[in-house]
Amino acid sequence: MINITLLDIIKDYQTGADKAVLIFKNKYNVNDILEGWHSGIYEQTGKLVDEGLYFYAFHGIGLAAHFKDKIVDFDFAYFPEPRHDGFDLWRLTNFIQNQRNKYPDYNNKEKIEREFNEIIENGIIAKPKLENSTTLYFFKDTLTTEIINEAPRKNNNNSQKKSQTWWKKLLGYK
């Protein structure tokens, strides 16, 4: 049996986002799929079943893409070029919940959150500092050093320490 980690799930999520973007780029010959939607090249919602997209819905700065075996809901971040490989806890949790049979070890939201916080603390993922703010995380090795925002990592450590202290007091631990 293969031991699947949250990092493997993130990569699967990113692969799904890549697939959705490529479907639109190839079918409609566009570089920026959000611009294609805003320009009226295709509808906000629809189906591209022949391409493997059973339903899609553009929203704000993102896309929900329904494939036969998964649903990937992702947003774009602008570096200034659009990127779609970002993720956050909410998006990953929904991605996992839509594939409970594929990821049975991740049916516990607390486990997902704990592991997500661990990969932040370990410096594997980070939020970029961008002119147009984003709530998305990216693999740190895909970001240039000058745009890595270390604040969430530091804040996360502090809030976790406070939380542990609170629980210790509540339960009478020293």
Side-chain angles (χ1 to χ4, degrees), residues 135-165:
T135 60
L136 301 176
Y137 287 83
F138 295 81
F139 282 108
K140 197 171 180 179
D141 62 358
T142 69
L143 301 173
T144 58
T145 306
E146 62 273 5
I147 67 166
I148 295 173
N149 185 358
E150 292 291 346
R153 183 174 168 191
K154 291 175 186 168
N155 290 343
N156 193 29
N157 286 341
N158 291 339
S159 68
Q160 194 166 29
K161 286 178 187 172
K162 286 178 187 172
S163 175
Q164 289 171 346
T165 303

Side-chain angles (χ1 to χ4, degrees), residues 164-174:
Q164 289 171 346
T165 303
W166 180 83
W167 277 106
K168 287 179 182 179
K169 286 180 184 175
L170 176 69
L171 300 173
Y173 292 111
K174 294 182 181 180

